[in-house]
Amino acid sequence: MINKVCPLDGLMALVKPGDRLMVGGFGVPGTPFALVDALLKNGVGDLTLVKNEANEDHMGVSKLLEAGLVSRMITTHLGLNKTAIGMMNRGEIEIEFYPQGILAEKIRAGGSGLKGILTDIGLDTELLRSTKQIIIMDGHEVILEPALTADVAFVHAAKADCFGNLIYAKSAMNFNPIMATASRLVIAEAEQIV
């Protein structure tokens, strides 16, 4: 088997302008901060960022937003990041919001090779009804939510081996495993290589 352990230098060249980038984590737990900082130094822009949230101001993926490297973000909330909220309100970044469970399911579906999921969440909102495809299933209206995949995923693991197997610890199980399955290329930051 191929040894997949790589030095950080050079890995960021695999992220291209215009890529869709998934970044694991839920707040601080499970966020691959070293990978985010390396990407910031590389300066690759026009990214579509998929993350549960935008971290806090001047931390994690917020640095990518503040540097103007992200043109669009798919997320569940921005509540702890005043900088990101200001950027959205000024039209400097496009934000696409989903309920947390729907975002996770869209990513899980992408990693499973499905084309989408069916849900009734949001049927009672006019904005959502006007922007989504609605179908009838078993006599009930449901929304067809397309699956979500990415070009690259940055994930954080507690342990990794040289073949790329990852073990996640505690709350870092959040979005990391499903993002790893839903991306063409996975770059993992591990606390320990065994």
Side-chain angles (χ1 to χ4, degrees):
M1 294 180 77
I2 298 172
N3 184 342
K4 295 183 178 180
V5 176
C6 302
L8 191 54
D9 298 338
L11 277 178
M12 294 306 113
L14 299 172
V15 182
K16 306 293 185 202
D19 273 357
R20 181 179 289 170
L21 172 67
M22 290 184 177
V23 178
F26 189 106
V28 171
T31 298
F33 290 107
L35 295 177
V36 170
D37 287 343
L39 184 61
L40 180 66
K41 289 178 187 171
N42 191 317
V44 174
D46 193 28
L47 299 171
T48 295
L49 176 65
V50 180
K51 189 166 188 319
N52 178 59
E53 36 60 54
N55 291 121
E56 295 180 34
D57 297 85
H58 322 302
M59 173 184 199
V61 298
S62 183
K63 294 178 182 179
L64 301 177
L65 298 170
E66 294 163 24
L69 301 180
V70 177
S71 57
R72 181 172 176 243
M73 184 170 186
I74 301 170
T75 189
T76 65
H77 72 94
L78 301 176
L80 298 176
N81 191 317
K82 293 178 184 175
T83 303
I85 292 168
M87 292 175 73
M88 176 186 69
N89 290 339
R90 290 187 300 274
E92 297 170 5
I93 185 170
E94 178 187 342
I95 304 289
E96 187 175 336
F97 288 108
Y98 288 96
Q100 189 170 45
I102 297 298
L103 180 65
E105 276 299 293
K106 286 169 67 77
I107 296 168
R108 186 200 59 78
S112 298
L114 302 175
K115 296 299 181 191
I117 63 168
L118 300 174
T119 181
D120 62 356
I121 295 173
L123 278 173
D124 56 347
T125 63
E126 288 303 316
L127 178 62
L128 193 57
R129 286 183 67 90
S130 67
T131 60
K132 298 291 181 178
Q133 181 179 350
I134 297 174
I135 63 173
I136 305 296
M137 184 173 194
D138 295 330
H140 300 281
E141 287 186 332
V142 291
I143 297 169
L144 173 60
E145 284 285 359
L148 195 54
T149 59
D151 301 294
V152 182
F154 285 177
V155 300
H156 177 273
K159 294 180 183 180
D161 68 16
C162 62
F163 305 118
N165 297 302
L166 304 175
I167 296 174
Y168 306 97
K170 301 176 183 162
S171 60
M173 284 288 295
N174 48 52
F175 280 85
N176 284 297
I178 60 173
M179 287 181 168
T181 66
S183 299
R184 179 185 50 78
L185 171 69
V186 178
I187 302 175
E189 169 184 311
E191 293 176 30
Q192 183 182 7
I193 299 174
V194 297

